[in-house]
Amino acid sequence: MIPDPTGTTAIATNPAYVKLFAELGLGSLAVGIVLVVLISFLRKLITDKAETPLAEMPATVVPVA
């Protein structure tokens, strides 16, 4: 993902790195926003599984040979 520098000075190579890190930053920001939106849904999934009593869970029978 890191572009090959096309210039010999830092000023000449900075635009390529600015573009790369801007894309990485925006991608991270987008993922963070999606996770914030999904917090309530994820909490519901976690608490529903944690509150299921063992008596309600189906028993698994494994035959012994």
Side-chain angles (χ1 to χ4, degrees):
M1 286 182 63
I2 298 176
D4 291 330
T6 56
T8 57
T9 64
I11 293 173
T13 60
N14 277 346
Y17 289 106
V18 168
K19 181 180 181 280
L20 171 68
F21 287 112
E23 289 174 357
L24 291 173
L26 290 174
S28 300
L29 186 63
V31 169
I33 290 171
V34 168
L35 288 176
V36 166
V37 169
L38 291 176
I39 284 175
S40 62
F41 176 71
L42 294 173
R43 281 191 182 152
K44 183 176 180 261
L45 285 176
I46 292 169
T47 55
D48 283 351
K49 297 215 185 265
E51 293 175 357
T52 304
L54 291 176
E56 292 181 12
M57 295 182 71
T60 303
V61 178
V62 179
V64 178

